[in-house]
Amino acid sequence: MPKIVNHEEKKQHILEVAYLNIQKHGSMGTSVRSIANAANMTTGQVRYYYPNHSILLEEILAQLTKEIEHQIIEIFMDQSKPIIPRIIQAILLTIPLDKKRRADMFVWLAVQNQNSVSVNQSMSNEIYILSEKVYEILKAEQLLKSNINKEKSVQRLHALIDGLALHKLYQPDQLSNELIEAIISDEIYSWME
């Protein structure tokens, strides 16, 4: 009797092994062969699901982005908290404040550098969209200053998030999580009446 293979489980297993491999060796030190070895598979099996290294890396990026987007949507949907703490919490999800987010950002940067992924899959683009969403939420809640410049404010928040994320990744002990939260809070409150 033929063995029944759960293809989705196999694909997910390959992605998990690739993620750990990139974390340990960087994207340059990660090959289809090293992923296959770590997954107890042949390179042919890995290539069946991911025909080339770039497709595999793109899938890892897509999965990381999807996870963060899902968490942000959950935060915004939670009506039990006031809107400003939810906005701050959503922004903080994009900054490597804990071991998991630090690992995610390291993998994301390694894959970005290796793969030159298009802008539409870039986390930076997602952070810009989040910054725009913050502006729109505050506008809908009628909390914005009347003279605020949307493009300048959104770009400044985007740059602030990017800068804090990189700073926290490369110099994790220089800024405490509490200070980063205070900096983000100050920026959001500077938009408000």
Side-chain angles (χ1 to χ4, degrees), residues 51-80:
N52 63 53
H53 196 244
S54 293
I55 292 172
L56 177 60
L57 296 179
E58 286 178 18
E59 186 62 30
I60 290 169
L61 278 185
Q63 191 171 43
L64 286 174
T65 301
K66 186 177 176 180
E67 286 173 20
I68 292 171
E69 285 176 350
H70 178 74
Q71 292 171 348
I72 288 171
I73 289 168
E74 282 184 354
I75 289 169
F76 282 133
M77 298 300 286
D78 179 8
Q79 300 293 316
S80 68

Short mmCIF file of all heavy atoms in Angstrom, two decimals, residues 51-80:
data_model
loop_
_atom_site.label_atom_id
_atom_site.label_comp_id
_atom_site.label_asym_id
_atom_site.label_seq_id
_atom_site.Cartn_x
_atom_site.Cartn_y
_atom_site.Cartn_z
N PRO A 51 11.45 24.54 -5.71
CA PRO A 51 12.35 24.25 -6.84
C PRO A 51 13.72 24.94 -6.78
O PRO A 51 14.67 24.43 -7.33
CB PRO A 51 11.57 24.74 -8.06
CG PRO A 51 10.14 24.72 -7.62
CD PRO A 51 10.15 25.01 -6.16
N ASN A 52 13.78 26.09 -6.10
CA ASN A 52 15.09 26.72 -5.95
C ASN A 52 15.18 27.46 -4.62
O ASN A 52 14.17 27.66 -3.93
CB ASN A 52 15.43 27.63 -7.14
CG ASN A 52 14.47 28.78 -7.27
OD1 ASN A 52 14.23 29.53 -6.32
ND2 ASN A 52 13.90 28.95 -8.46
N HIS A 53 16.37 27.83 -4.28
CA HIS A 53 16.67 28.48 -3.01
C HIS A 53 15.88 29.77 -2.84
O HIS A 53 15.36 30.06 -1.76
CB HIS A 53 18.19 28.73 -2.95
CG HIS A 53 18.70 29.03 -1.60
ND1 HIS A 53 19.27 30.23 -1.30
CD2 HIS A 53 18.75 28.29 -0.47
CE1 HIS A 53 19.65 30.23 -0.04
NE2 HIS A 53 19.35 29.06 0.49
N SER A 54 15.75 30.55 -3.91
CA SER A 54 15.04 31.83 -3.84
C SER A 54 13.57 31.65 -3.48
O SER A 54 13.03 32.41 -2.68
CB SER A 54 15.14 32.58 -5.18
OG SER A 54 16.47 32.96 -5.41
N ILE A 55 12.94 30.66 -4.06
CA ILE A 55 11.52 30.41 -3.75
C ILE A 55 11.36 30.03 -2.28
O ILE A 55 10.44 30.49 -1.60
CB ILE A 55 10.94 29.33 -4.69
CG1 ILE A 55 10.86 29.88 -6.11
CG2 ILE A 55 9.57 28.85 -4.20
CD1 ILE A 55 10.48 28.84 -7.16
N LEU A 56 12.28 29.24 -1.78
CA LEU A 56 12.25 28.85 -0.37
C LEU A 56 12.41 30.07 0.53
O LEU A 56 11.66 30.26 1.49
CB LEU A 56 13.35 27.82 -0.09
CG LEU A 56 13.52 27.35 1.35
CD1 LEU A 56 12.24 26.69 1.86
CD2 LEU A 56 14.68 26.37 1.45
N LEU A 57 13.37 30.93 0.21
CA LEU A 57 13.60 32.14 1.01
C LEU A 57 12.39 33.08 0.96
O LEU A 57 11.99 33.64 1.97
CB LEU A 57 14.86 32.85 0.53
CG LEU A 57 16.17 32.09 0.71
CD1 LEU A 57 17.33 32.91 0.16
CD2 LEU A 57 16.42 31.70 2.15
N GLU A 58 11.79 33.22 -0.23
CA GLU A 58 10.60 34.06 -0.36
C GLU A 58 9.46 33.53 0.49
O GLU A 58 8.71 34.31 1.10
CB GLU A 58 10.16 34.16 -1.83
CG GLU A 58 11.06 35.04 -2.65
CD GLU A 58 10.64 35.09 -4.12
OE1 GLU A 58 9.48 34.73 -4.44
OE2 GLU A 58 11.49 35.49 -4.94
N GLU A 59 9.32 32.22 0.56
CA GLU A 59 8.26 31.62 1.37
C GLU A 59 8.49 31.87 2.86
O GLU A 59 7.55 32.11 3.62
CB GLU A 59 8.15 30.12 1.08
CG GLU A 59 6.98 29.46 1.76
CD GLU A 59 5.62 29.99 1.33
OE1 GLU A 59 5.47 30.44 0.18
OE2 GLU A 59 4.70 29.96 2.16
N ILE A 60 9.75 31.83 3.29
CA ILE A 60 10.07 32.13 4.69
C ILE A 60 9.68 33.57 5.00
O ILE A 60 9.05 33.84 6.02
CB ILE A 60 11.56 31.88 4.99
CG1 ILE A 60 11.85 30.38 4.96
CG2 ILE A 60 11.96 32.47 6.34
CD1 ILE A 60 13.33 30.04 4.97
N LEU A 61 10.02 34.50 4.11
CA LEU A 61 9.65 35.91 4.31
C LEU A 61 8.14 36.08 4.36
O LEU A 61 7.62 36.80 5.21
CB LEU A 61 10.22 36.78 3.19
CG LEU A 61 11.65 37.21 3.30
CD1 LEU A 61 12.00 38.16 2.16
CD2 LEU A 61 11.94 37.87 4.62
N ALA A 62 7.46 35.44 3.44
CA ALA A 62 6.00 35.55 3.40
C ALA A 62 5.38 35.03 4.69
O ALA A 62 4.45 35.63 5.23
CB ALA A 62 5.44 34.79 2.20
N GLN A 63 5.92 33.94 5.21
CA GLN A 63 5.39 33.36 6.44
C GLN A 63 5.64 34.29 7.64
O GLN A 63 4.75 34.50 8.46
CB GLN A 63 5.99 31.99 6.67
CG GLN A 63 5.30 31.23 7.78
CD GLN A 63 5.76 29.79 7.84
OE1 GLN A 63 6.95 29.50 7.74
NE2 GLN A 63 4.82 28.88 8.03
N LEU A 64 6.85 34.85 7.73
CA LEU A 64 7.15 35.78 8.82
C LEU A 64 6.23 37.00 8.77
O LEU A 64 5.69 37.42 9.79
CB LEU A 64 8.61 36.23 8.77
CG LEU A 64 9.67 35.22 9.19
CD1 LEU A 64 11.07 35.78 8.93
CD2 LEU A 64 9.52 34.84 10.65
N THR A 65 6.06 37.54 7.58
CA THR A 65 5.20 38.72 7.41
C THR A 65 3.76 38.39 7.78
O THR A 65 3.10 39.16 8.49
CB THR A 65 5.28 39.23 5.95
OG1 THR A 65 6.65 39.55 5.66
CG2 THR A 65 4.43 40.46 5.75
N LYS A 66 3.29 37.24 7.34
CA LYS A 66 1.91 36.82 7.63
C LYS A 66 1.68 36.67 9.14
O LYS A 66 0.64 37.08 9.67
CB LYS A 66 1.61 35.51 6.90
CG LYS A 66 0.19 35.04 6.99
CD LYS A 66 0.00 33.77 6.16
CE LYS A 66 -1.39 33.23 6.30
NZ LYS A 66 -1.58 32.01 5.51
N GLU A 67 2.65 36.08 9.85
CA GLU A 67 2.53 35.91 11.30
C GLU A 67 2.39 37.26 12.01
O GLU A 67 1.53 37.44 12.87
CB GLU A 67 3.75 35.18 11.86
CG GLU A 67 3.79 33.71 11.57
CD GLU A 67 5.11 33.06 12.01
OE1 GLU A 67 5.82 33.64 12.86
OE2 GLU A 67 5.43 31.97 11.48
N ILE A 68 3.24 38.21 11.63
CA ILE A 68 3.21 39.52 12.28
C ILE A 68 1.92 40.25 11.93
O ILE A 68 1.28 40.85 12.80
CB ILE A 68 4.45 40.35 11.90
CG1 ILE A 68 5.70 39.70 12.53
CG2 ILE A 68 4.32 41.80 12.38
CD1 ILE A 68 7.00 40.28 12.06
N GLU A 69 1.51 40.19 10.66
CA GLU A 69 0.25 40.82 10.25
C GLU A 69 -0.92 40.26 11.05
O GLU A 69 -1.80 41.01 11.49
CB GLU A 69 0.00 40.61 8.75
CG GLU A 69 0.85 41.47 7.87
CD GLU A 69 0.65 41.17 6.40
OE1 GLU A 69 -0.02 40.15 6.04
OE2 GLU A 69 1.17 41.94 5.58
N HIS A 70 -0.95 38.94 11.23
CA HIS A 70 -2.03 38.30 11.99
C HIS A 70 -2.06 38.82 13.43
O HIS A 70 -3.13 39.13 13.96
CB HIS A 70 -1.87 36.78 11.95
CG HIS A 70 -2.89 36.05 12.75
ND1 HIS A 70 -4.19 35.91 12.34
CD2 HIS A 70 -2.81 35.43 13.96
CE1 HIS A 70 -4.87 35.24 13.25
NE2 HIS A 70 -4.05 34.93 14.24
N GLN A 71 -0.90 38.92 14.05
CA GLN A 71 -0.83 39.41 15.43
C GLN A 71 -1.28 40.86 15.52
O GLN A 71 -1.99 41.24 16.46
CB GLN A 71 0.59 39.26 15.97
CG GLN A 71 1.01 37.83 16.18
CD GLN A 71 2.50 37.70 16.51
OE1 GLN A 71 3.27 38.65 16.38
NE2 GLN A 71 2.90 36.51 16.92
N ILE A 72 -0.91 41.67 14.56
CA ILE A 72 -1.31 43.09 14.56
C ILE A 72 -2.82 43.21 14.38
O ILE A 72 -3.46 44.00 15.08
CB ILE A 72 -0.53 43.87 13.48
CG1 ILE A 72 0.93 44.03 13.92
CG2 ILE A 72 -1.17 45.23 13.21
CD1 ILE A 72 1.86 44.59 12.87
N ILE A 73 -3.39 42.42 13.50
CA ILE A 73 -4.85 42.45 13.31
C ILE A 73 -5.56 42.06 14.60
O ILE A 73 -6.54 42.70 15.00
CB ILE A 73 -5.26 41.54 12.14
CG1 ILE A 73 -4.81 42.17 10.82
CG2 ILE A 73 -6.77 41.28 12.14
CD1 ILE A 73 -4.90 41.25 9.61
N GLU A 74 -5.06 41.03 15.28
CA GLU A 74 -5.65 40.63 16.56
C GLU A 74 -5.61 41.78 17.57
O GLU A 74 -6.58 42.00 18.30
CB GLU A 74 -4.94 39.41 17.13
CG GLU A 74 -5.32 38.11 16.48
CD GLU A 74 -4.66 36.91 17.14
OE1 GLU A 74 -3.81 37.07 18.04
OE2 GLU A 74 -5.02 35.78 16.75
N ILE A 75 -4.51 42.49 17.63
CA ILE A 75 -4.38 43.62 18.56
C ILE A 75 -5.41 44.69 18.22
O ILE A 75 -6.11 45.20 19.10
CB ILE A 75 -2.95 44.20 18.53
CG1 ILE A 75 -1.98 43.23 19.19
CG2 ILE A 75 -2.90 45.56 19.21
CD1 ILE A 75 -0.52 43.56 18.98
N PHE A 76 -5.52 45.05 16.95
CA PHE A 76 -6.46 46.10 16.55
C PHE A 76 -7.92 45.67 16.74
O PHE A 76 -8.77 46.51 16.99
CB PHE A 76 -6.21 46.56 15.12
CG PHE A 76 -5.03 47.49 14.98
CD1 PHE A 76 -4.10 47.29 13.99
CD2 PHE A 76 -4.85 48.57 15.84
CE1 PHE A 76 -3.01 48.14 13.86
CE2 PHE A 76 -3.77 49.42 15.72
CZ PHE A 76 -2.84 49.22 14.72
N MET A 77 -8.19 44.38 16.66
CA MET A 77 -9.56 43.90 16.83
C MET A 77 -9.97 43.80 18.30
O MET A 77 -11.16 43.75 18.61
CB MET A 77 -9.71 42.52 16.16
CG MET A 77 -9.49 42.52 14.66
SD MET A 77 -10.61 43.59 13.76
CE MET A 77 -12.10 42.62 13.86
N ASP A 78 -9.02 43.79 19.20
CA ASP A 78 -9.29 43.67 20.63
C ASP A 78 -9.84 44.99 21.17
O ASP A 78 -9.10 45.91 21.47
CB ASP A 78 -8.01 43.28 21.38
CG ASP A 78 -8.21 43.15 22.88
OD1 ASP A 78 -9.36 43.21 23.36
OD2 ASP A 78 -7.19 43.00 23.58
N GLN A 79 -11.15 45.05 21.30
CA GLN A 79 -11.81 46.28 21.75
C GLN A 79 -11.78 46.46 23.27
O GLN A 79 -12.27 47.45 23.79
CB GLN A 79 -13.27 46.27 21.27
CG GLN A 79 -13.41 46.21 19.76
CD GLN A 79 -12.90 47.46 19.07
OE1 GLN A 79 -13.17 48.56 19.50
NE2 GLN A 79 -12.16 47.28 17.98
N SER A 80 -11.17 45.52 23.99
CA SER A 80 -11.14 45.62 25.45
C SER A 80 -10.13 46.65 25.96
O SER A 80 -10.18 47.03 27.12
CB SER A 80 -10.84 44.25 26.07
OG SER A 80 -9.51 43.85 25.78
#
